[in-house]
Amino acid sequence: MIDIEEMMKRAQEASEAASKQLNESIEKSKKISEQMQADAEKAEAERAARQLSADEQAMANQQRQVEILGQMFNPEIMAQMTANEDMLKQMVDQKAAEATAGIMDQLFGEDMGVIAAALETLAMEEEDEDEDEEAEFDDALEAELYNILDEKMAQLAALPEPEPITYAKDDARWRQFGILLSGMIAKLNDHRLDCIDVEEHIPLMEQQIVSLVRRTWGINGRGELMDTLRSLTQAGYALRYQIYCEANSPEELISNTDSEEEQASLRRAWRFAQYYKTQYTPSFMIGWDVGRAAMLTRWGCYLGWLTEGEATGILWDLSQRAVKALDNWREFAQSYLFGGLMWKLLCNDASAESYLSFLSDAAADLLAGLPEDDDGQWAACPWPEYQESHFSDMNRYH
């Protein structure tokens, strides 16, 4: 027979034994955990102590070095060491700059000053474009521009100039005279005037000039260049000015396809022609046409669109046209200002006042400037007297 009480007694004893063993295990684990934490805190304290000792030692070493330097060098010597250090830094910077310049010279093959000048010119063109967008024409400005033109013309007429001389047909000075016909634009662009090439041949400058020709003239190669030269010599502004002078009203010049802005420009140009037609004949405008054609010829030769022989022949023809229509460099400069203002009126460009000033200053430099300032090129090459026999050889490239 099963003894229930005996079984319950044994179960109670087993439960108490298990509970005692569990408590003993918990207590043992707690002691182990406390010991591990204590060991970790001790190790951290020892590590911190070692780090503090190392820092103190480094600071002591540094202080010792300072003391040693102070003993070795008096204040004057220390100041000299500082100055020497600054001088050494300047020498390093200079050598670095020279090395950079050398690398750029190898890349471009030319003086970086030329490149800087080209970039400065581009920046000036962008500034001029921004200013042009802000200005607007009105009746008062138009009348003021006439007054400014008259003043500039009078100033040019007063410039000193050698008397015209006779050039033989084979005179070597014809070549230089043809180059100098581009003098107004060349001065504004800081181009050379001692040879047909306008600049040294470097990639950046070539790209600038080809961009200039394409943007301002819409010329992209030899064919379009030749067409433009024919237009300038066979018609140009001389013919346009004549047509505007003969028109009884601006409506005779306006077509149905002209925009309002174009119509306003045509009316301004017509008023300009009517105002000056009794003072200046259409042939007076030839200097404006010839000067631009001469510059285009030199640009075309520089870009390889014309051979040097072709450019020389074209400049000869332009020279004969100039001396047939005009009497001296002063009149040539006046013609250029005259045509320049009509061009600005047609282009709706209200920056005409500054443009006239730039042209007038360029002409003064060419005629009255000093050679040591790279001026006076017109004065050094007197205007040729016109001879009919020379003119008979023209039209070779038409």
Side-chain angles (χ1 to χ4, degrees), residues 107-310:
L107 288 174
F108 291 101
E110 292 293 340
D111 184 2
M112 283 299 295
V114 177
I115 296 175
L119 296 176
E120 183 179 356
T121 301
L122 291 174
M124 290 175 62
E125 289 178 355
E126 293 176 357
E127 292 175 0
D128 290 342
E129 290 174 359
D130 294 339
E131 293 176 358
D132 294 347
E133 292 176 357
E134 297 176 358
E136 292 183 359
F137 266 109
D138 56 29
D139 293 342
L141 175 58
E142 192 173 325
E144 178 63 18
L145 288 174
Y146 294 172
N147 293 331
I148 293 172
L149 176 62
D150 293 340
E151 292 175 2
K152 298 297 182 183
M153 296 288 236
Q155 292 172 7
L156 292 175
L159 289 174
E161 178 180 357
E163 290 295 322
I165 63 175
T166 301
Y167 284 19
K169 187 174 180 180
D170 58 351
D171 196 318
R173 288 175 295 184
W174 279 116
R175 177 183 174 89
Q176 180 62 14
F177 178 77
I179 292 171
L180 290 176
L181 289 174
S182 69
M184 301 288 278
I185 310 178
K187 274 292 181 182
L188 295 184
N189 288 276
D190 199 25
H191 287 333
R192 298 177 59 175
L193 281 169
D194 58 347
C195 62
I196 289 182
D197 267 348
V198 294
E199 298 286 351
E200 296 295 329
H201 282 275
I202 59 174
L204 180 61
M205 193 60 68
E206 291 173 354
Q207 181 58 42
Q208 180 190 355
I209 291 176
V210 76
S211 175
L212 174 65
V213 174
R214 286 173 176 168
R215 185 179 69 252
T216 59
W217 287 89
I219 297 174
N220 295 284
R222 176 183 171 86
E224 292 177 344
L225 173 63
M226 297 300 289
D227 289 343
T228 303
L229 290 173
R230 292 189 186 96
S231 175
L232 287 173
T233 55
Q234 295 178 359
Y237 267 62
L239 178 58
R240 174 173 287 188
Y241 177 67
Q242 178 181 345
I243 293 173
Y244 286 27
C245 287
E246 295 173 351
N248 294 319
S249 69
E251 280 66 35
E252 296 180 17
L253 309 171
I254 296 174
S255 67
N256 295 330
T257 59
D258 291 331
S259 65
E260 291 185 4
E261 182 177 340
E262 290 171 334
Q263 293 180 20
S265 297
L266 289 171
R267 289 189 174 91
R268 277 193 299 272
W270 178 82
R271 289 192 294 268
F272 172 85
Q274 296 299 310
Y275 185 87
Y276 285 110
K277 68 179 182 180
T278 58
Q279 188 174 355
Y280 300 109
T281 65
S283 62
F284 181 73
M285 190 70 79
I286 287 178
W288 166 248
D289 290 331
V290 164
R292 293 183 300 151
M295 191 73 261
L296 281 174
T297 300
R298 295 184 66 206
W299 279 336
C301 184
Y302 177 78
L303 297 173
W305 297 344
L306 297 171
T307 67
E308 186 169 344
E310 289 173 328

